Amino acid sequence: MDDVIIIGGSFAGLAAALQLGRAGRKVTVLDTGLPRNRFAGHSHGLLGHDHKPPLDILAEARRQLERYPAIRTVNARAESVSGVIDNFTVLTGDGQSLGARRVILSYGVTDQMPDVPGFAESWGTSIVPCPYCDGFEVAGRHWGLVWSSPQSHQSARLFLDWTDKLTVFADGHDIAPDIQADLARRKIPVVDGRIIEIAHHEGHITTVNLESRRNVAIDVLFAHPRNRPSANLHASLGLATVDTPVGIALKVDERRQTSMPGVYAAGDLATPFLPSVTQATWQGAMAGIFAQQSMLT
């Protein structure tokens, strides 16, 4: 039996494995090799790894984990988790049955692309969600923001730290009059009408095309499509969740433990606000440390 099975081997899962492996705890990491940020050419804001391709960072992390004999990585999908603290069973897609005293869920989320031609093709290249991740590289250029909720107002205000050329696309949403007045005061134009196409060249936006037949030229588009967990294990375990503007996140306590004793969570799956590689890494490290401490006798 392992001490810990980690389900999901991206930044959060590998950070958890590193802490556990350094403590000599026996760990199995299950991973399908599909990290959320695989569409991004570079990862930004991660100290010591700024502007490196995210897949290269993960590959180097896996190589470094090879020096720890207690860590085993397996390219497999977890199909189910059952049991209780000190006696969990994980069944994998290739028929393995694995046992562990603790489980860390770090399988992340999947972004759900809207049914708009050109959107998915531009995702991660010129359609991005986070100014802290990509804003510096496009500072001063013409930004667009797809309105998705009242929180988009905060995004519009925030973006002005990077650019003074911002266009808001209402995309069928009714923006409250007081918010519209505030946007006008900040000289942020609002374009009505639904987006029907993203015209692009190899993922680089040329225009946002609207149902009114108006085409608006911009350089980068910020959008926050809804997402869903990349697996359904949390639901089968009955774990508590919290609502976010774009989906759900697992509810965890100050020690990264979910509502089920012995099950921990880290990364985008358990981040209700502003997910990032930096957050995923520290959350994974903390989940590993607290899982280890929970097994002390």
Side-chain angles (χ1 to χ4, degrees):
M1 176 177 282
D2 286 325
D3 289 308
V4 182
I5 291 176
I6 299 171
I7 303 175
S10 188
F11 290 92
L14 296 183
L18 177 60
Q19 299 302 321
L20 288 159
R22 289 185 60 81
R25 292 291 184 170
K26 188 178 178 183
V27 181
T28 294
V29 181
L30 300 177
D31 185 47
T32 58
L34 297 173
R36 183 185 188 185
N37 63 354
R38 65 189 182 276
F39 302 102
H42 298 87
S43 182
H44 299 118
L46 181 62
L47 189 64
H49 297 284
D50 189 48
H51 202 63
K52 290 183 181 179
L55 295 181
D56 288 357
I57 301 172
L58 288 172
E60 176 60 24
R62 292 189 189 98
R63 283 193 292 270
Q64 292 177 7
L65 291 183
E66 290 175 359
R67 68 187 287 250
Y68 298 100
I71 300 174
R72 178 176 69 126
T73 58
V74 179
N75 183 17
R77 182 178 182 87
E79 295 294 341
S80 69
V81 180
S82 59
V84 295
I85 189 169
D86 288 322
N87 190 24
F88 290 106
T89 298
V90 177
L91 297 179
T92 69
D94 56 4
Q96 294 185 72
S97 177
L98 308 175
R101 297 180 62 193
R102 302 290 186 271
V103 173
I104 295 176
L105 303 179
S106 52
Y107 48 78
V109 300
T110 300
D111 295 297
Q112 298 177 286
M113 299 293 101
D115 187 20
V116 174
F119 192 102
E121 294 84 350
S122 303
W123 182 248
T125 301
S126 59
I127 302 180
V128 293
C130 171
Y132 296 103
C133 302
D134 296 290
F136 179 85
E137 285 67 32
V138 291
R141 302 179 71 179
H142 189 173
W143 291 21
L145 169 64
V146 181
W147 198 270
S148 57
S149 72
Q151 287 197 341
S152 297
H153 185 205
Q154 171 65 7
S155 295
R157 296 169 59 222
L158 180 69
F159 290 176
L160 297 181
D161 266 6
W162 283 270
T163 186
D164 58 2
K165 303 171 187 175
L166 174 62
T167 297
V168 166
F169 295 91
D171 197 30
H173 290 87
D174 292 325
I175 302 176
D178 60 323
I179 294 178
Q180 291 202 45
D182 182 72
L183 295 174
R185 180 179 66 82
R186 300 174 190 274
K187 297 185 168 68
I188 301 174
V190 177
V191 178
D192 292 324
R194 287 198 173 274
I195 297 171
I196 61 169
E197 182 186 18
I198 303 296
H200 67 96
H201 177 68
E202 296 181 348
H204 296 279
I205 290 178
T206 54
T207 59
V208 175
N209 300 343
L210 306 167
E211 61 184 354
S212 63
R213 299 191 178 183
R214 180 181 178 184
N215 302 335
V216 181
I218 60 169
D219 297 309
V220 62
L221 184 64
F222 284 80
H224 302 92
R226 293 190 64 79
N227 61 58
R228 56 177 174 75
S230 295
N232 203 39
L233 304 176
H234 60 284
S236 63
L237 290 170
L239 303 184
T241 61
V242 295
D243 291 328
T244 82
V246 293
I248 63 168
L250 296 193
K251 185 177 182 179
V252 296
D253 63 16
E254 67 279 1
R255 298 177 71 84
R256 308 303 308 171
Q257 187 168 232
T258 68
S259 56
M260 175 176 282
V263 178
Y264 297 77
D268 292 356
L269 180 65
T271 303
F273 175 71
L274 203 62
S276 69
V277 170
T278 298
Q279 279 220 77
T281 302
W282 81 257
Q283 287 180 9
M286 291 300 99
I289 288 170
F290 290 133
Q292 178 224 356
Q293 292 182 0
S294 75
M295 293 182 285
L296 299 179
T297 58

